[in-house]
Amino acid sequence: MKPNVYITRKLPESIVKKIEEVCRVRMWEEEGQPVPREVLLREAEQADGLFCLLTEEIDQEVLNAAKKLKIIANMAVGYNNIDIEEATKKGIIVTNTPDVLTETTADLTFALLMATARRILESNTYLKEGKWKTWSPMQLTGQDIYGAKLGIIGMGRIGKALIERAKGFNMDVSYYNRSRKLDVEKEFDITFLDKESLLKESDFVCILVPYSPEVHHFIGEKELQLMKDSAILINTARGGIVDEEALFHALKNKEIWGAGLDVFEEEPVSLENQLLYLPNVTALPHIGSASEATRLEMANLAADNLIQVLAGEKAITPVNG
Ligand code: NAP
């Protein structure tokens, strides 16, 4: 008998077909809305495999309901939406989608850096609202990117891909990571700095560490005070790593110059979040990996992980076990 798979969001037909060849598939048919919690809990009961997104909180309650579950294939590289410890205890394999999204996310990180530094969105709105009456010396002036100092927090796959972009702009790159990456230092001629020195010296600070309780509010009031008043903070990793209240005050009081945010502590971000109304914030709706080709590759990789594990084979990209 084919194993049961539950897919928590409507996927492109080609991906569903591929899973259907070897599994009995049930799927939440909405694309623009996450599966309601009660539906997820009910569907999880019968599922041998779960294909989910970062919008689903796969916690102890879901794992307890999912008595038959063998694999959770998360369509993301980050997996802080899943209780990995509990899944491991229950013998459930969890997989993610590394590598296939690295370049696309590095592109977006650099695009956000550039857009924030050169006030691209603000300038676009300025023009369209009819405010462009003349050219003037200091109108819509931003920060230079070429030759500036970039500090990367989290030197993993995406951090490394970001260096390649930065080097094209002659940036002086340093990084902080919990472990030294001597091979990367040598390959790209970059410097390891402790967190405090990196924050003090950088013109741009890009956050690219995975979220874990260890890095909750890794950037807070104290860290923001260390940064230059001309510095820009870019977060394309996860909300929660930056203390948004502290960031709001630092930006409002001009303790730092700007911020580019693709991720928020609460997602979708509430329109009551005051960060959205600061002119020196460029805000995006978590689109780091959002190119057509990459999203398809991520879905394919998640599907392949699911199919392989349910066929008794090894997962391609496991994060536990
Ligand atoms: P990765 O290759 O696993 O790299 C993560 C790096 O962070 C590793 O070098 C790791 O160090 C380091 N690190 C982990 N915990 C740390 C800590 N507590 N302190 C200091 N350094 C720490 O991950 P990746 O593929 O580059 O992805 C990074 C993150 O980007 C993902 O986890 C995800 O949250 C985020 N992301 C966001 C989007 C988006 O749409 N905005 C898209 C893709 C990814 P070690 O080598 O010592 O383990």
Side-chain angles (χ1 to χ4, degrees):
M1 212 169 71
K2 286 180 174 179
N4 292 322
V5 161
Y6 188 64
I7 304 174
T8 63
R9 194 71 65 97
K10 186 175 168 59
L11 292 179
E13 220 178 291
S14 62
I15 313 284
V16 181
K17 268 197 178 149
K18 173 158 121 173
I19 304 174
E20 272 175 344
E21 278 172 23
V22 284
C23 305
R24 282 208 331 221
V25 174
R26 289 176 60 80
M27 180 167 76
W28 175 246
E29 294 286 348
E30 304 276 339
E31 205 183 330
Q33 259 190 57
V35 60
R37 181 81 180 168
E38 66 275 14
V39 177
L40 174 64
L41 286 167
R42 194 173 63 235
E43 294 287 351
E45 283 176 21
Q46 296 307 317
D48 298 291
L50 190 66
F51 183 120
C52 64
L53 314 185
L54 47 79
T55 43
E56 279 77 60
E57 192 66 34
I58 310 297
D59 55 12
Q60 212 159 359
E61 190 185 16
V62 177
L63 295 170
N64 284 341
K67 299 261 183 295
K68 300 165 65 189
L69 201 60
K70 294 172 192 65
I71 164 140
I72 302 165
N74 206 36
M75 191 184 140
V77 66
Y79 43 83
N80 52 298
N81 56 314
I82 301 171
D83 185 337
I84 301 291
E85 206 181 309
E86 194 61 25
T88 309
K89 263 195 227 157
K90 294 184 185 305
I92 301 167
I93 306 280
V94 180
T95 63
N96 66 344
T97 60
D99 301 313
V100 293
L101 47 56
T102 296
E103 302 299 339
T104 303
T105 309
D107 282 350
L108 188 279
T109 305
F110 207 76
L112 186 53
L113 179 156
M114 293 189 78
T116 310
R118 296 301 306 273
R119 302 170 66 176
I120 302 286
L121 302 190
E122 193 188 343
S123 298
N124 179 263
T125 307
Y126 180 88
L127 182 154
K128 290 186 178 179
E129 286 180 349
K131 293 181 182 155
W132 186 23
K133 303 291 184 204
T134 181
W135 187 96
S136 67
M138 299 308 284
Q139 180 186 54
L140 291 165
T141 47
Q143 299 296 331
D144 274 323
I145 300 155
Y146 190 85
K149 287 186 184 225
L150 169 65
I152 302 175
I153 297 180
M155 188 42 67
R157 290 169 290 241
I158 303 170
K160 191 176 159 195
L162 187 63
I163 305 173
E164 291 173 328
R165 279 117 185 115
K167 286 287 171 181
F169 284 75
N170 197 31
M171 293 180 97
D172 175 5
V173 183
S174 56
Y175 78 103
Y176 167 75
N177 198 75
R178 64 181 168 195
S179 60
R180 285 283 291 267
K181 305 286 172 183
L182 296 173
D183 52 337
V184 184
E185 289 178 32
K186 205 166 153 207
E187 184 181 351
F188 293 102
D189 189 24
I190 64 164
T191 316
F192 176 84
L193 291 177
D194 59 53
K195 182 181 167 188
E196 195 176 312
S197 308
L198 181 140
L199 291 167
K200 279 185 183 163
E201 292 175 22
S202 301
D203 299 310
F204 295 90
V205 174
C206 283
I207 300 170
L208 281 166
V209 278
Y211 179 81
S212 67
E214 209 183 313
V215 293
H216 183 73
H217 289 184
F218 200 63
I219 303 293
E221 189 185 342
K222 186 173 119 241
E223 289 75 18
L224 290 160
Q225 276 170 3
L226 291 173
M227 290 172 68
K228 298 179 187 178
D229 58 9
S230 58
I232 292 173
L233 180 73
I234 304 292
N235 187 8
T236 46
R238 283 288 184 271
I241 299 173
V242 177
D243 177 345
E244 287 180 0
E245 212 179 305
L247 179 62
F248 174 78
H249 290 294
L251 287 162
K252 199 163 189 311
N253 301 331
K254 308 227 177 329
E255 286 160 18
I256 70 169
W257 191 85
L261 307 171
D262 185 42
V263 288
F264 294 86
E265 296 203 65
E266 180 198 344
E267 291 187 7
V269 65
S270 158
L271 289 182
E272 280 169 23
N273 188 326
Q274 293 306 303
L275 276 171
L276 302 183
Y277 304 100
L278 292 175
N280 49 351
V281 169
T282 305
L284 300 176
H286 202 144
I287 57 163
S289 65
S291 79
E292 290 178 14
T294 292
R295 285 287 167 85
L296 279 176
E297 281 198 66
M298 289 164 68
N300 261 307
L301 178 54
D304 290 342
N305 270 309
L306 192 79
I307 291 166
Q308 290 212 183
V309 171
L310 291 177
E313 291 165 31
K314 275 196 168 161
I316 307 160
T317 48
V319 298
N320 65 350

